[in-house]
């Protein structure tokens, strides 16, 4: 398989994995708090990566550790908690659709902070995507008055973190293999996640069946949806471009939407239209 075919294969596999992540977060929240879901997600991913990727840490130079730590904060630590908190109030399929703003934010931050060249069509794509986002959120707030749509701000912040992360990796860590980056990220985050988890009431919850079931779902999320997926994603960034890599968010909402249907989540016609507009904006911004 040549490089062009391989990058599309990575894109497809990532869309399946990450499209399923939102329903796993939702299942985790049944017996755990959002902070516990975020912490366990990081812990399980870190343990898995340290078992299989410990030797790859030797390839990280002293200069690179600084950037590994920074990317761990923006690419994993902050979003892991923000997405979990957001899903306590907003449907998982809506969160997945809003995650599609990542390529738009990647482009904007790349232009502003990293000197990426852009075209007028890409700027148009950013504005189109924002219009779709507003339509999706306002319609959702009207159709689901029991949900607090102010929490979508957390999703937007998470997409900004992802955008910073991919630009940093492309600029400063392109010469480091994806396993080293991912394992280094979670090595940095393991102790902070354990400390945060210890401050919660997990010791009182751990004996409950519902909590144990939730931990199982988060374990799948941590190992597959975070550990393995990040290795594939960082490899994709290095072999393509930040905007192409984040265009995985074209497909994530489709996978998440079908999981949402199975879990009795349904979008209104206006929300469908808003999601469609977002994807058009992403297409315009990411198309060469």
């Amino acid at each position: 398989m040549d490089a062009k075919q391989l990058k599309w294969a990575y894109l497809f596999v990532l869309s399946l994995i990450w499209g399923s992540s939102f329903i796993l977060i939702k299942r985790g929240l049944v017996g755990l708090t959002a902070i516990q879901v975020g912490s366990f997600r990081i812990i399980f991913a870190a343990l898995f990566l340290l078992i299989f990727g410990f030797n790859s840490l030797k390839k990280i130079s002293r200069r690179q550790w600084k950037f590994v730590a920074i990317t761990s904060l923006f690419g994993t630590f902050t979003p892991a908690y923000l997405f979990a908190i957001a899903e306590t109030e907003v449907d998982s399929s809506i969160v997945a659709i809003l995650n599609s703003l990542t390529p738009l934010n990647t482009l904007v931050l790349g232009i502003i902070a990293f000197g990426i060249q852009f075209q007028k069509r890409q700027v148009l794509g950013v504005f189109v995507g924002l219009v779709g986002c507003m339509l999706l959120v306002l319609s959702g707030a009207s159709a689901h008055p029991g949900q607090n749509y102010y929490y979508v701000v957390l999703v937007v912040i998470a997409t900004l973190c992802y955008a910073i992360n991919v630009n940093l990796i492309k600029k400063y860590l392109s010469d480091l293999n994806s396993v080293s980056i991912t394992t280094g990220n979670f090595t940095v985050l393991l102790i902070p996640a354990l400390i945060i988890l210890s401050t919660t009431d997990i010791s009182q919850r751990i004996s409950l069946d519902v909590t144990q079931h939730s931990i199982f779902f988060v374990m799948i999320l941590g190992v597959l949806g975070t550990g393995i997926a990040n290795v594939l994603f960082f490899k994709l960034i290095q072999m393509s471009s930040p905007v192409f890599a984040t265009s995985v968010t074209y497909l994530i909402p489709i996978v998440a939407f079908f999981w949402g249907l199975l879990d009795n989540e349904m979008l209104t016609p206006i929300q469908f239209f808003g999601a469609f507009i977002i994807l058009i904006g992403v297409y315009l911004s990411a198309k060469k």
Side-chain angles (χ1 to χ4, degrees):
M1 186 180 294
D2 61 30
K4 185 175 181 180
Q5 293 175 321
L6 190 60
K7 73 178 185 179
W8 282 102
Y10 279 178
L11 196 72
F12 178 72
V13 172
L14 278 170
S15 69
L16 292 178
I17 295 174
W18 276 338
S20 304
S21 293
F22 299 93
I23 196 66
L24 290 172
I25 293 173
K26 186 176 182 178
R27 285 286 178 265
L29 289 169
V30 173
L32 297 167
T33 67
I35 299 300
Q36 290 166 347
V37 168
S39 297
F40 271 123
R41 180 179 184 178
I42 293 170
I43 292 166
F44 284 126
L47 294 176
F48 169 78
L49 288 164
L50 284 171
I51 291 171
F52 293 99
F54 182 77
N55 288 334
S56 68
L57 296 176
K58 299 174 184 177
K59 298 179 181 179
I60 305 175
S61 68
R62 183 176 300 179
R63 180 190 65 83
Q64 289 173 320
W65 270 110
K66 175 178 67 176
F67 296 108
V68 168
I70 294 172
T71 56
S72 72
L73 175 64
F74 287 108
T76 301
F77 189 77
T78 305
Y81 291 104
L82 292 181
F83 277 118
I85 295 171
E87 284 199 35
T88 62
E89 291 289 338
V90 183
D91 285 342
S92 62
S93 54
I94 297 296
V95 173
I97 293 168
L98 291 173
N99 187 50
S100 298
L101 294 173
T102 299
L104 304 183
N105 290 331
T106 301
L107 175 65
V108 172
L109 286 174
I111 293 169
I112 295 173
F114 296 90
I116 290 178
Q117 299 298 314
F118 65 95
Q119 300 174 1
K120 291 181 180 179
R121 169 187 42 75
Q122 292 177 306
V123 176
L124 174 63
V126 171
F127 284 106
V128 169
L130 291 176
V131 170
C133 178
M134 292 176 62
L135 188 62
L136 178 71
V137 171
L138 293 175
S139 173
S142 299
H144 303 94
Q147 297 181 10
N148 187 347
Y149 265 69
Y150 286 112
Y151 276 65
V152 302
V153 174
L154 301 180
V155 182
V156 175
I157 294 172
T159 64
L160 285 169
C161 289
Y162 283 150
I164 294 170
N165 181 53
V166 293
N167 278 298
L168 287 172
I169 289 171
K170 188 65 178 181
K171 185 168 184 177
Y172 298 108
L173 297 174
S174 287
D175 57 340
L176 189 62
N177 71 70
S178 58
V179 176
S180 296
I181 297 172
T182 312
T183 306
N185 280 168
F186 285 94
T187 300
V188 171
L189 297 180
L190 178 58
I191 299 303
L194 286 169
I195 293 173
I196 291 173
L197 181 64
S198 69
T199 64
T200 69
D201 63 345
I202 189 61
S203 59
Q204 285 80 43
R205 291 173 177 258
I206 196 69
S207 60
L208 301 175
D209 288 341
V210 66
T211 299
Q212 293 171 7
H213 290 156
S214 291
I215 291 174
F216 173 74
F217 286 117
V218 179
M219 181 179 67
I220 298 174
L221 174 66
V223 173
L224 184 63
T226 306
I228 295 175
N230 274 342
V231 172
L232 296 177
F233 184 59
F234 293 157
K235 181 66 175 177
L236 183 59
I237 294 171
Q238 292 171 326
M239 69 191 304
S240 58
S241 70
V243 174
F244 178 86
T246 54
S247 65
V248 65
T249 49
Y250 282 129
L251 304 175
I252 287 174
I254 299 172
V255 177
F257 171 70
F258 282 107
W259 278 117
L261 285 180
L262 293 175
D263 204 47
N264 298 316
E265 295 180 7
M266 177 55 68
L267 302 180
T268 66
I270 296 178
Q271 285 180 305
F272 269 116
F273 184 58
F276 179 68
I277 291 176
I278 289 174
L279 295 181
I280 289 176
V282 174
Y283 173 78
L284 289 172
S285 67
K287 183 175 180 291
K288 289 185 178 181

